Short mmCIF file of all heavy atoms in Angstrom, two decimals:
data_model
loop_
_atom_site.label_atom_id
_atom_site.label_comp_id
_atom_site.label_asym_id
_atom_site.label_seq_id
_atom_site.Cartn_x
_atom_site.Cartn_y
_atom_site.Cartn_z
N PHE A 15 106.02 -0.43 54.03
CA PHE A 15 107.03 -0.09 55.03
C PHE A 15 108.41 -0.57 54.60
O PHE A 15 109.41 0.10 54.87
CB PHE A 15 106.64 -0.68 56.38
CG PHE A 15 105.68 0.17 57.16
CD1 PHE A 15 104.32 0.11 56.90
CD2 PHE A 15 106.14 1.04 58.13
CE1 PHE A 15 103.43 0.90 57.61
CE2 PHE A 15 105.26 1.84 58.85
CZ PHE A 15 103.89 1.78 58.59
N LYS A 16 108.46 -1.72 53.94
CA LYS A 16 109.75 -2.21 53.45
C LYS A 16 110.28 -1.31 52.33
O LYS A 16 111.47 -0.96 52.30
CB LYS A 16 109.60 -3.64 52.94
CG LYS A 16 110.84 -4.22 52.26
CD LYS A 16 111.98 -4.41 53.24
CE LYS A 16 113.16 -5.11 52.55
NZ LYS A 16 114.29 -5.31 53.48
N ALA A 17 109.41 -0.94 51.41
CA ALA A 17 109.82 -0.16 50.25
C ALA A 17 110.23 1.26 50.65
O ALA A 17 111.21 1.80 50.12
CB ALA A 17 108.69 -0.10 49.22
N ARG A 18 109.52 1.84 51.62
CA ARG A 18 109.78 3.25 51.96
C ARG A 18 110.78 3.40 53.11
O ARG A 18 111.57 4.35 53.12
CB ARG A 18 108.47 3.95 52.32
CG ARG A 18 107.53 4.10 51.14
CD ARG A 18 106.29 4.90 51.54
NE ARG A 18 106.63 6.26 51.95
CZ ARG A 18 106.77 7.29 51.13
NH1 ARG A 18 106.61 7.11 49.83
NH2 ARG A 18 107.06 8.49 51.59
N PHE A 19 110.72 2.49 54.08
CA PHE A 19 111.54 2.68 55.29
C PHE A 19 112.52 1.54 55.54
O PHE A 19 113.21 1.54 56.54
CB PHE A 19 110.62 2.84 56.51
CG PHE A 19 109.58 3.90 56.35
CD1 PHE A 19 108.23 3.57 56.26
CD2 PHE A 19 109.92 5.24 56.25
CE1 PHE A 19 107.26 4.53 56.11
CE2 PHE A 19 108.95 6.21 56.09
CZ PHE A 19 107.62 5.87 56.01
N ASN A 20 112.54 0.56 54.62
CA ASN A 20 113.46 -0.58 54.72
C ASN A 20 113.32 -1.31 56.07
O ASN A 20 114.31 -1.69 56.69
CB ASN A 20 114.91 -0.14 54.52
CG ASN A 20 115.83 -1.33 54.22
OD1 ASN A 20 115.40 -2.33 53.62
ND2 ASN A 20 117.08 -1.23 54.63
N THR A 21 112.09 -1.50 56.51
CA THR A 21 111.84 -2.24 57.75
C THR A 21 112.15 -3.72 57.54
O THR A 21 112.24 -4.20 56.41
CB THR A 21 110.39 -2.09 58.20
OG1 THR A 21 109.52 -2.51 57.15
CG2 THR A 21 110.08 -0.64 58.57
N ASN A 22 112.27 -4.46 58.63
CA ASN A 22 112.51 -5.90 58.57
C ASN A 22 111.21 -6.62 58.22
O ASN A 22 110.29 -6.70 59.04
CB ASN A 22 113.05 -6.39 59.92
CG ASN A 22 113.47 -7.84 59.86
OD1 ASN A 22 112.71 -8.71 59.46
ND2 ASN A 22 114.68 -8.12 60.30
N GLU A 23 111.12 -7.13 57.00
CA GLU A 23 109.86 -7.73 56.55
C GLU A 23 109.52 -9.02 57.29
O GLU A 23 108.35 -9.37 57.44
CB GLU A 23 109.90 -7.99 55.04
CG GLU A 23 110.80 -9.12 54.58
CD GLU A 23 112.25 -8.70 54.36
OE1 GLU A 23 112.60 -7.59 54.81
OE2 GLU A 23 113.00 -9.47 53.76
N THR A 24 110.55 -9.74 57.76
CA THR A 24 110.29 -11.00 58.47
C THR A 24 109.50 -10.74 59.75
O THR A 24 108.47 -11.37 60.00
CB THR A 24 111.61 -11.71 58.80
OG1 THR A 24 112.35 -11.92 57.60
CG2 THR A 24 111.35 -13.05 59.47
N LEU A 25 109.98 -9.80 60.57
CA LEU A 25 109.29 -9.48 61.82
C LEU A 25 107.95 -8.83 61.56
O LEU A 25 106.95 -9.12 62.24
CB LEU A 25 110.16 -8.57 62.68
CG LEU A 25 111.44 -9.19 63.25
CD1 LEU A 25 112.25 -8.15 64.01
CD2 LEU A 25 111.09 -10.35 64.18
N PHE A 26 107.89 -7.95 60.56
CA PHE A 26 106.66 -7.20 60.29
C PHE A 26 105.55 -8.16 59.86
O PHE A 26 104.43 -8.12 60.40
CB PHE A 26 106.92 -6.16 59.18
CG PHE A 26 105.95 -5.01 59.20
CD1 PHE A 26 106.41 -3.71 59.23
CD2 PHE A 26 104.58 -5.22 59.17
CE1 PHE A 26 105.53 -2.63 59.25
CE2 PHE A 26 103.69 -4.15 59.18
CZ PHE A 26 104.17 -2.86 59.22
N THR A 27 105.85 -9.02 58.90
CA THR A 27 104.82 -9.95 58.42
C THR A 27 104.44 -10.96 59.49
O THR A 27 103.28 -11.38 59.58
CB THR A 27 105.29 -10.69 57.15
OG1 THR A 27 106.57 -11.30 57.39
CG2 THR A 27 105.41 -9.73 55.98
N LEU A 28 105.42 -11.36 60.32
CA LEU A 28 105.12 -12.29 61.41
C LEU A 28 104.15 -11.65 62.41
O LEU A 28 103.18 -12.29 62.85
CB LEU A 28 106.41 -12.68 62.12
CG LEU A 28 106.28 -13.69 63.26
CD1 LEU A 28 105.74 -15.02 62.75
CD2 LEU A 28 107.62 -13.89 63.96
N MET A 29 104.38 -10.38 62.76
CA MET A 29 103.48 -9.70 63.69
C MET A 29 102.09 -9.51 63.09
O MET A 29 101.09 -9.55 63.80
CB MET A 29 104.07 -8.33 64.07
CG MET A 29 105.34 -8.40 64.92
SD MET A 29 105.10 -9.29 66.49
CE MET A 29 105.87 -10.87 66.10
N MET A 30 102.02 -9.34 61.78
CA MET A 30 100.71 -9.20 61.12
C MET A 30 99.88 -10.46 61.27
O MET A 30 98.64 -10.40 61.26
CB MET A 30 100.91 -8.85 59.65
CG MET A 30 101.49 -7.49 59.38
SD MET A 30 100.37 -6.13 59.76
CE MET A 30 99.21 -6.26 58.40
N ASN A 31 100.53 -11.60 61.41
CA ASN A 31 99.79 -12.84 61.66
C ASN A 31 98.97 -12.74 62.94
O ASN A 31 97.79 -13.12 62.97
CB ASN A 31 100.75 -14.03 61.78
CG ASN A 31 101.35 -14.44 60.47
OD1 ASN A 31 100.77 -14.22 59.41
ND2 ASN A 31 102.51 -15.05 60.51
N TYR A 32 99.60 -12.25 64.01
CA TYR A 32 98.92 -12.17 65.30
C TYR A 32 97.78 -11.14 65.27
O TYR A 32 96.74 -11.34 65.90
CB TYR A 32 99.93 -11.84 66.40
CG TYR A 32 100.98 -12.91 66.55
CD1 TYR A 32 102.27 -12.71 66.09
CD2 TYR A 32 100.66 -14.14 67.12
CE1 TYR A 32 103.24 -13.70 66.21
CE2 TYR A 32 101.62 -15.13 67.25
CZ TYR A 32 102.90 -14.90 66.79
OH TYR A 32 103.84 -15.90 66.90
N VAL A 33 97.99 -10.07 64.53
CA VAL A 33 96.91 -9.09 64.38
C VAL A 33 95.73 -9.73 63.65
O VAL A 33 94.57 -9.56 64.03
CB VAL A 33 97.41 -7.85 63.62
CG1 VAL A 33 96.27 -6.86 63.41
CG2 VAL A 33 98.55 -7.17 64.36
N GLY A 34 96.04 -10.49 62.59
CA GLY A 34 94.98 -11.17 61.84
C GLY A 34 94.22 -12.17 62.71
O GLY A 34 92.99 -12.27 62.63
N ILE A 35 94.93 -12.92 63.53
CA ILE A 35 94.29 -13.91 64.42
C ILE A 35 93.35 -13.21 65.39
O ILE A 35 92.21 -13.66 65.61
CB ILE A 35 95.36 -14.71 65.18
CG1 ILE A 35 96.10 -15.65 64.23
CG2 ILE A 35 94.73 -15.52 66.32
CD1 ILE A 35 97.31 -16.33 64.84
N GLN A 36 93.80 -12.10 65.97
CA GLN A 36 92.94 -11.38 66.92
C GLN A 36 91.74 -10.74 66.23
O GLN A 36 90.64 -10.67 66.80
CB GLN A 36 93.76 -10.31 67.66
CG GLN A 36 94.84 -10.87 68.56
CD GLN A 36 94.30 -11.87 69.55
OE1 GLN A 36 93.27 -11.65 70.21
NE2 GLN A 36 94.98 -13.01 69.68
N LEU A 37 91.93 -10.31 65.00
CA LEU A 37 90.81 -9.73 64.24
C LEU A 37 89.74 -10.79 63.98
O LEU A 37 88.54 -10.54 64.16
CB LEU A 37 91.34 -9.17 62.91
CG LEU A 37 90.41 -8.26 62.10
CD1 LEU A 37 90.06 -7.01 62.90
CD2 LEU A 37 91.07 -7.88 60.77
N VAL A 38 90.18 -11.98 63.57
CA VAL A 38 89.24 -13.08 63.35
C VAL A 38 88.57 -13.46 64.67
O VAL A 38 87.35 -13.71 64.71
CB VAL A 38 89.96 -14.29 62.73
CG1 VAL A 38 89.05 -15.52 62.71
CG2 VAL A 38 90.41 -13.97 61.31
N SER A 39 89.33 -13.50 65.75
CA SER A 39 88.78 -13.85 67.06
C SER A 39 87.67 -12.89 67.46
O SER A 39 86.62 -13.30 68.00
CB SER A 39 89.90 -13.85 68.10
OG SER A 39 89.40 -14.19 69.37
N TYR A 40 87.87 -11.61 67.19
CA TYR A 40 86.85 -10.60 67.52
C TYR A 40 85.56 -10.87 66.76
O TYR A 40 84.46 -10.87 67.35
CB TYR A 40 87.37 -9.20 67.21
CG TYR A 40 86.29 -8.14 67.28
CD1 TYR A 40 85.88 -7.63 68.51
CD2 TYR A 40 85.67 -7.68 66.12
CE1 TYR A 40 84.88 -6.68 68.59
CE2 TYR A 40 84.67 -6.72 66.18
CZ TYR A 40 84.27 -6.23 67.41
OH TYR A 40 83.27 -5.30 67.48
N PHE A 41 85.68 -11.10 65.46
CA PHE A 41 84.46 -11.27 64.65
C PHE A 41 83.79 -12.62 64.91
O PHE A 41 82.58 -12.75 64.76
CB PHE A 41 84.78 -11.09 63.17
CG PHE A 41 84.86 -9.66 62.75
CD1 PHE A 41 86.08 -9.03 62.59
CD2 PHE A 41 83.70 -8.93 62.53
CE1 PHE A 41 86.15 -7.69 62.23
CE2 PHE A 41 83.75 -7.58 62.16
CZ PHE A 41 84.99 -6.97 62.01
N VAL A 42 84.57 -13.62 65.30
CA VAL A 42 83.95 -14.89 65.70
C VAL A 42 83.05 -14.67 66.92
O VAL A 42 81.92 -15.20 66.97
CB VAL A 42 85.04 -15.95 66.01
CG1 VAL A 42 84.43 -17.16 66.74
CG2 VAL A 42 85.70 -16.42 64.71
N MET A 43 83.52 -13.90 67.87
CA MET A 43 82.69 -13.59 69.04
C MET A 43 81.50 -12.70 68.66
O MET A 43 80.40 -12.83 69.21
CB MET A 43 83.53 -12.91 70.12
CG MET A 43 84.66 -13.77 70.68
SD MET A 43 84.07 -15.28 71.46
CE MET A 43 83.18 -14.61 72.85
N TYR A 44 81.71 -11.81 67.71
CA TYR A 44 80.64 -10.89 67.29
C TYR A 44 79.54 -11.63 66.54
O TYR A 44 78.35 -11.33 66.72
CB TYR A 44 81.26 -9.80 66.40
CG TYR A 44 80.28 -8.75 65.94
CD1 TYR A 44 79.86 -7.74 66.82
CD2 TYR A 44 79.79 -8.75 64.65
CE1 TYR A 44 78.95 -6.77 66.41
CE2 TYR A 44 78.88 -7.78 64.23
CZ TYR A 44 78.47 -6.79 65.11
OH TYR A 44 77.57 -5.83 64.69
N TRP A 45 79.94 -12.62 65.71
CA TRP A 45 78.95 -13.35 64.91
C TRP A 45 78.56 -14.70 65.52
O TRP A 45 77.91 -15.51 64.88
CB TRP A 45 79.52 -13.62 63.50
CG TRP A 45 79.65 -12.40 62.65
CD1 TRP A 45 78.82 -11.33 62.59
CD2 TRP A 45 80.69 -12.14 61.69
NE1 TRP A 45 79.26 -10.41 61.67
CE2 TRP A 45 80.41 -10.88 61.09
CE3 TRP A 45 81.82 -12.84 61.26
CZ2 TRP A 45 81.21 -10.32 60.10
CZ3 TRP A 45 82.62 -12.28 60.29
CH2 TRP A 45 82.33 -11.04 59.71
N GLU A 46 79.00 -14.98 66.74
CA GLU A 46 78.82 -16.31 67.30
C GLU A 46 77.38 -16.79 67.19
O GLU A 46 76.43 -16.02 67.36
CB GLU A 46 79.28 -16.34 68.76
CG GLU A 46 78.51 -15.43 69.68
CD GLU A 46 79.03 -15.48 71.11
OE1 GLU A 46 79.93 -16.28 71.38
OE2 GLU A 46 78.51 -14.71 71.95
N ASN A 47 77.24 -18.07 66.88
CA ASN A 47 75.93 -18.66 66.68
C ASN A 47 75.97 -20.14 67.11
O ASN A 47 76.72 -20.93 66.51
CB ASN A 47 75.51 -18.55 65.21
CG ASN A 47 74.12 -19.07 64.96
OD1 ASN A 47 73.27 -19.05 65.84
ND2 ASN A 47 73.89 -19.56 63.75
N PRO A 48 75.20 -20.51 68.13
CA PRO A 48 74.30 -19.67 68.96
C PRO A 48 75.09 -18.79 69.92
O PRO A 48 76.27 -19.01 70.15
CB PRO A 48 73.47 -20.71 69.71
CG PRO A 48 74.37 -21.90 69.81
CD PRO A 48 75.15 -21.93 68.53
N LYS A 49 74.42 -17.79 70.47
CA LYS A 49 75.06 -16.85 71.37
C LYS A 49 75.64 -17.57 72.59
O LYS A 49 75.01 -18.46 73.16
CB LYS A 49 74.06 -15.78 71.84
CG LYS A 49 73.64 -14.81 70.75
CD LYS A 49 74.83 -13.99 70.25
CE LYS A 49 74.40 -12.99 69.18
NZ LYS A 49 75.56 -12.22 68.67
N GLY A 50 76.86 -17.19 72.93
CA GLY A 50 77.53 -17.80 74.07
C GLY A 50 78.36 -19.01 73.72
O GLY A 50 79.09 -19.53 74.56
N SER A 51 78.30 -19.47 72.45
CA SER A 51 79.05 -20.66 72.05
C SER A 51 80.51 -20.36 71.75
O SER A 51 81.36 -21.24 71.80
CB SER A 51 78.40 -21.30 70.82
OG SER A 51 78.49 -20.43 69.70
N GLY A 52 80.79 -19.09 71.39
CA GLY A 52 82.15 -18.73 71.01
C GLY A 52 82.54 -19.23 69.64
O GLY A 52 83.71 -19.21 69.26
N LYS A 53 81.55 -19.68 68.86
CA LYS A 53 81.79 -20.18 67.50
C LYS A 53 80.75 -19.63 66.55
O LYS A 53 79.63 -19.32 66.95
CB LYS A 53 81.74 -21.71 67.47
CG LYS A 53 82.78 -22.40 68.35
CD LYS A 53 82.61 -23.91 68.27
CE LYS A 53 83.63 -24.61 69.16
NZ LYS A 53 83.46 -26.09 69.13
N ILE A 54 81.13 -19.54 65.30
CA ILE A 54 80.17 -19.08 64.29
C ILE A 54 79.27 -20.23 63.85
O ILE A 54 78.09 -20.05 63.57
CB ILE A 54 80.91 -18.49 63.06
CG1 ILE A 54 81.64 -17.21 63.46
CG2 ILE A 54 79.93 -18.19 61.94
CD1 ILE A 54 82.42 -16.57 62.34
N GLY A 55 79.82 -21.44 63.83
CA GLY A 55 79.06 -22.56 63.31
C GLY A 55 79.04 -22.55 61.78
O GLY A 55 79.68 -21.70 61.14
N ILE A 56 78.33 -23.46 61.18
CA ILE A 56 78.24 -23.51 59.72
C ILE A 56 77.43 -22.32 59.22
O ILE A 56 76.27 -22.13 59.62
CB ILE A 56 77.59 -24.84 59.25
CG1 ILE A 56 78.38 -26.03 59.78
CG2 ILE A 56 77.52 -24.88 57.73
CD1 ILE A 56 79.82 -26.09 59.34
N ILE A 57 78.03 -21.54 58.34
CA ILE A 57 77.39 -20.32 57.84
C ILE A 57 76.36 -20.70 56.77
O ILE A 57 76.65 -21.44 55.84
CB ILE A 57 78.42 -19.35 57.26
CG1 ILE A 57 79.48 -18.99 58.32
CG2 ILE A 57 77.76 -18.09 56.73
CD1 ILE A 57 80.64 -18.19 57.79
N ASN A 58 75.14 -20.15 56.91
CA ASN A 58 74.06 -20.38 55.93
C ASN A 58 73.86 -21.87 55.66
O ASN A 58 73.74 -22.29 54.50
CB ASN A 58 74.35 -19.63 54.63
CG ASN A 58 74.49 -18.13 54.84
OD1 ASN A 58 73.95 -17.57 55.79
ND2 ASN A 58 75.23 -17.47 53.96
N GLN A 59 73.80 -22.65 56.72
CA GLN A 59 73.72 -24.11 56.56
C GLN A 59 72.46 -24.55 55.84
O GLN A 59 72.48 -25.49 55.06
CB GLN A 59 73.79 -24.78 57.94
CG GLN A 59 73.88 -26.30 57.87
CD GLN A 59 74.17 -26.91 59.22
OE1 GLN A 59 74.17 -26.23 60.24
NE2 GLN A 59 74.44 -28.20 59.25
N SER A 60 71.35 -23.87 56.09
CA SER A 60 70.09 -24.29 55.49
C SER A 60 69.89 -23.74 54.08
O SER A 60 69.29 -24.39 53.22
CB SER A 60 68.92 -23.84 56.38
OG SER A 60 68.94 -22.43 56.55
N THR A 61 70.42 -22.56 53.83
CA THR A 61 70.20 -21.91 52.52
C THR A 61 71.36 -22.09 51.55
O THR A 61 71.18 -21.97 50.34
CB THR A 61 69.97 -20.40 52.72
OG1 THR A 61 71.14 -19.83 53.33
CG2 THR A 61 68.76 -20.15 53.62
#
């Protein structure tokens, strides 16, 4: 977007942070372990 449309990279990259946080938040809830904890916990702790 900066190269083609000369958008403001400061605001654009800053907003991408919030999108990334919400994306991680979604998958944390999707993979939560145990169910209802709202956390993934240690991944592959035993193996």
Side-chain angles (χ1 to χ4, degrees):
F15 276 82
K16 174 67 175 180
R18 293 184 62 86
F19 307 112
N20 197 30
T21 56
N22 186 307
E23 71 274 13
T24 304
L25 292 176
F26 203 127
T27 52
L28 182 63
M29 292 301 103
M30 292 290 286
N31 287 334
Y32 298 106
V33 177
I35 290 171
Q36 295 306 314
L37 193 62
V38 170
S39 180
Y40 169 80
F41 279 101
V42 167
M43 297 299 294
Y44 182 77
W45 290 324
E46 62 181 356
N47 184 28
K49 290 296 181 182
S51 64
K53 299 179 181 178
I54 294 179
I56 303 300
I57 302 172
N58 301 335
Q59 187 171 8
S60 58
T61 61

